[in-house]
Amino acid sequence: EPEVTQTPSHQVTQMGQEVILRCVPISNHLYFYWYRQILGQKVEFLVSFYNNEISEKSEIFDDQFSVERPDGSNFTLKIRSTKLEDSAMYFCASGKLASYEQYFGPGTRLTVT
Amino acid sequence: AQTVTQSQPEMSVQEAETVTLSCTYDTSENNYYLFWYKQPPSRQMILVIRQEAYKQQNATENRFSVNFQKAAKSFSLKISDSQLGDTAMYFCAFMKPITSGTYKYIFGTGTRLKVLA
């Protein structure tokens, strides 16, 4: 059964560094999402992406964040200059046309030191 | 704005017993979807059960069932014959359409369930 994959599973970075989190959505899906979960808190929507552009973003998704689909398979989340409070689990999700269903990846745990 | 409330931060249940996790939500939308996700210590998000708001019949998936009360905006999860492997964090989630056929989840704060041997 196809699934969403994310790499790396755990990323440690120093404050101020740029980090790129990678996701490979399910191949025939057209909608892509990033969610974030700070340890001990709820999962929060960051951004949705469709047709090569952002369709909606939350207040959390400020200028430090960007998303890209650089080729036909990857979907990336870049944080330009990481802060301590960016430490969280980041989940990618994808969905297919004419369906509300989203499929989560296993997550990337980002630790900013 | 839509909100999802899970009023039970922690619960425990004896193995083989039944437990109900509560969830309420607030929305003015008519077209939406509701979900329960399980998050074990690995922190992976595992879909337990889903309910389309337009369906009156409560969803069931093996030992998991929901009590969906649309007028009361309530969506509780019942776990029957609890197993040790059910120990996890459980998140209730509301999903609504946003733009261009995309949807977004709004999650509750979670209920930590511990199944006791």
Side-chain angles (χ1 to χ4, degrees):
Chain A
E1 187 175 326
E3 56 185 25
V4 177
T5 59
Q6 290 185 243
T7 53
S9 56
H10 187 196
Q11 171 98 43
V12 181
T13 190
Q14 288 192 326
M15 196 167 53
Q17 294 295 304
E18 175 182 285
V19 67
I20 296 176
L21 309 183
R22 290 184 168 79
C23 168
V24 179
I26 295 172
S27 64
N28 63 343
H29 286 189
L30 299 177
Y31 300 95
F32 313 109
Y33 307 85
W34 284 101
Y35 292 84
R36 180 182 84 173
Q37 185 187 29
I38 294 170
L39 185 63
Q41 298 186 21
K42 63 181 176 181
V43 177
E44 298 173 290
F45 169 80
L46 285 179
V47 65
S48 62
F49 190 85
Y50 168 69
N51 200 25
N52 281 319
E53 60 183 24
I54 291 173
S55 45
E56 178 151 327
K57 58 184 181 179
S58 71
E59 293 172 356
I60 304 166
F61 195 87
D62 61 22
D63 293 343
Q64 291 298 314
F65 291 90
S66 62
V67 289
E68 194 177 34
R69 189 152 160 83
D71 52 43
S73 58
N74 289 285
F75 178 52
T76 61
L77 174 69
K78 185 195 305 189
I79 309 175
R80 259 178 276 281
S81 176
T82 50
K83 307 185 189 84
L84 293 176
E85 54 265 36
D86 293 327
S87 293
M89 195 78 164
Y90 288 82
F91 293 101
C92 172
S94 70
K96 54 188 176 186
L97 189 65
S99 172
Y100 65 87
E101 296 185 44
Q102 293 181 21
Y103 297 81
F104 279 99
T108 291
R109 185 156 68 102
L110 176 66
T111 302
V112 182
T113 60
Chain B
Q2 288 82 10
T3 56
V4 177
T5 301
Q6 293 180 249
S7 58
Q8 306 149 315
E10 290 186 5
M11 292 190 74
S12 60
V13 62
Q14 287 294 134
E15 198 176 5
E17 296 293 306
T18 295
V19 65
T20 299
L21 310 184
S22 64
C23 172
T24 58
Y25 58 94
D26 186 24
T27 185
S28 56
E29 307 268 346
N30 199 43
N31 178 28
Y32 56 89
Y33 308 88
L34 296 162
F35 303 78
W36 279 97
Y37 274 89
K38 171 184 177 181
Q39 189 178 48
S42 67
R43 298 186 72 185
Q44 182 154 3
M45 296 294 282
I46 300 167
L47 177 64
V48 174
I49 199 165
R50 73 181 70 135
Q51 174 85 40
E52 289 93 344
Y54 61 84
K55 289 188 178 175
Q56 291 188 336
Q57 188 171 5
N58 289 325
T60 62
E61 285 287 341
N62 302 313
R63 297 184 294 108
F64 300 89
S65 61
V66 297
N67 183 5
F68 173 46
Q69 303 287 328
K70 190 172 184 180
K73 296 179 183 171
S74 168
F75 183 61
S76 61
L77 174 70
K78 185 170 85 170
I79 306 174
S80 304
D81 185 26
S82 298
Q83 299 175 0
L84 296 177
D86 295 333
T87 293
M89 194 75 163
Y90 286 81
F91 289 99
C92 177
F94 168 96
M95 175 184 269
K96 66 163 197 167
I98 38 182
T99 60
S100 306
T102 58
Y103 298 80
K104 75 173 182 183
Y105 280 109
I106 297 164
F107 284 88
T109 51
T111 295
R112 187 173 302 282
L113 176 68
K114 189 167 185 179
V115 180
L116 307 170

